[in-house]
Amino acid sequence: VQLQASGGGLVQAGGSLRLSCAASGRTFSSNVMGWLRQAPGKEREFVAAISWSGYSAYYADSVKGRFTISTDNAKNTVYLQMNSLKPEDTAVYYCAAGPPSSYGSRSYLYWGQGTLVTVSS
């Protein structure tokens, strides 16, 4: 499974960004897609997850109501729409894929390269 993330950038607080993650070579062990992030000096944290097979999306409390994860199965792409961004959302965002046990966790089998999101105040 190969994952290619894109869409990061610099945005002012209150603004929006949409991250994309193109996946190739999908298998059952990559049925769950997640977005995680790592801010400077902090541990990597879970942001959102969804499955290709239609399980409900799951979000970290810190982004609930502001971020939306979605899939386009025809394009094998997962999106993370980020609205009402805050400076504390600044981090490198990673897309990842894993089996159903990955749902809502930080444990995934496959990782894409990170994309930097910087939110200025």
Side-chain angles (χ1 to χ4, degrees):
V1 178
Q2 292 184 324
L3 305 173
Q4 181 71 38
S6 61
L10 174 64
V11 64
Q12 288 188 331
S16 298
L17 278 176
R18 189 177 78 159
L19 306 182
S20 300
C21 177
S24 61
R26 285 168 49 189
T27 68
F28 174 78
S29 64
S30 61
N31 189 50
V32 172
M33 297 296 298
W35 286 98
L36 299 92
R37 66 187 182 187
Q38 188 165 18
K42 295 187 176 181
E43 291 187 353
R44 191 171 296 182
E45 64 174 353
F46 167 79
V47 175
I50 196 168
S51 76
W52 295 110
S53 54
Y55 288 112
S56 298
Y58 184 74
Y59 299 94
D61 288 342
S62 59
V63 306
K64 204 172 292 184
R66 300 188 297 122
F67 290 11
T68 303
I69 189 171
S70 62
T71 61
D72 185 333
N73 284 25
K75 295 182 179 180
N76 285 341
T77 300
V78 178
Y79 302 99
L80 185 68
Q81 177 67 44
M82 305 185 294
N83 298 328
S84 303
L85 282 161
K86 305 175 182 180
E88 51 264 42
D89 293 319
T90 295
V92 176
Y93 283 71
Y94 298 89
C95 66
S101 59
S102 295
Y103 209 78
S105 79
R106 296 184 295 173
S107 178
Y108 286 80
L109 292 179
Y110 309 100
W111 293 85
Q113 91 290 1
T115 185
L116 177 62
V117 172
T118 304
V119 184
S120 62
S121 57

